[in-house]
Amino acid sequence: MKKVLAIVLGLLVFGVLALGLGGCGSYNGIVGRKQAVDSQWAQVETQYQRRLDLVPNLVKTVEGAANFERSVLKEVTEARASVGQLKVTPGQAPATPEEFARFQQAQGALSSALSRLLLVSERYPDLKATAAFRDLQVQLEGTENRISVARQDFNLAVQSYNTSVQQFPGVIVARFGGFTPRPYFQAEAAAQKAPKVEFNFGKPAQ
């Protein structure tokens, strides 16, 4: 009887230790994936900030073009100001879908405004011929590509993290550790698509 009791007790102790070690391993894995999400988010912030820093010089250069549409410049300036007012803790991705949606909406509005500005600039050959404008345009296009890559890498990190907090045994550890799934970047086809502008240049109407 004592031998059986000892075996049962040993199995219970072994089970508790196994669960404890498994829980620790799962917790550490979740922490590591959360840090990876924040690390990738920092890359996203860096690229968005790079774009934000280009806007004043771009606006200043475009303002020098005679009769350039002021409404376009106003749209870009207001969109940039809206991005600047976002309340996001540096180095930490927005934790709720609502916060993430506000961030993405503001950035999407700036993307749309910049797309419109570059499209309208096609009407001004003298502006396009200036070295300053061409350099800013190249920098902006390069930054948009970096933003796209950074967003993709962030989404991959979020996918790995979300999987770890929703699968067993991570879901149990996440519940007690306060880990919750993170939102992804979503496609913004409408925000990224440049508005259609017709250029007649004096051609007779069809």
Side-chain angles (χ1 to χ4, degrees):
M1 184 68 181
K2 291 183 178 180
K3 185 177 181 180
V4 173
L5 185 61
I7 292 175
V8 172
L9 184 60
L11 289 174
L12 288 174
V13 171
F14 177 79
V16 170
L17 289 175
L19 287 174
L21 292 174
C24 289
S26 181
Y27 179 86
N28 290 337
I30 292 174
V31 170
R33 291 180 177 88
K34 179 179 180 297
Q35 290 176 340
V37 169
D38 289 336
S39 177
Q40 291 300 333
W41 176 255
Q43 295 300 317
V44 170
E45 285 185 311
T46 296
Q47 301 310 325
Y48 272 125
Q49 185 61 48
R50 185 193 300 271
R51 182 176 70 173
L52 205 65
D53 293 341
L54 288 174
V55 173
N57 287 336
L58 182 62
V59 170
K60 184 177 180 180
T61 300
V62 171
E63 280 179 334
N67 301 318
F68 194 88
E69 282 88 335
R70 297 296 169 184
S71 61
V72 177
L73 292 176
K74 181 180 179 181
E75 182 183 357
V76 172
T77 301
E78 291 180 348
R80 183 182 187 275
S82 179
V83 170
Q85 293 171 359
L86 289 171
K87 304 300 182 184
V88 179
T89 303
Q92 294 183 18
T96 67
E98 293 76 19
E99 291 176 331
F100 207 96
R102 286 194 293 270
F103 178 89
Q104 192 167 2
Q105 182 179 14
Q107 295 291 356
L110 181 55
S111 294
S112 180
L114 288 171
S115 296
R116 177 169 169 75
L117 184 149
L118 293 176
L119 188 58
V120 171
S121 69
E122 296 291 328
R123 296 180 178 181
Y124 301 87
D126 291 341
L127 172 63
K128 290 176 59 183
T130 62
F133 180 80
R134 290 200 307 270
D135 180 60
L136 286 168
Q137 187 175 17
V138 169
Q139 291 185 58
L140 184 60
E141 290 173 352
T143 300
E144 292 292 352
N145 290 334
R146 294 188 187 95
I147 287 173
S148 178
V149 172
R151 283 164 54 114
Q152 291 174 10
D153 291 343
F154 173 80
N155 276 354
L156 288 175
V158 170
Q159 181 183 31
S160 177
Y161 167 78
N162 285 352
T163 299
S164 70
V165 301
Q166 292 174 324
Q167 288 185 337
F168 184 85
V171 64
I172 298 176
V173 177
R175 181 174 299 177
F176 287 100
F179 298 102
T180 57
R182 294 295 188 89
Y184 295 87
F185 274 109
Q186 303 295 328
E188 296 180 328
Q192 300 290 350
K193 184 177 179 181
K196 184 178 180 181
V197 178
E198 299 291 345
F199 300 127
N200 292 322
F201 296 108
K203 293 182 180 180
Q206 298 296 325

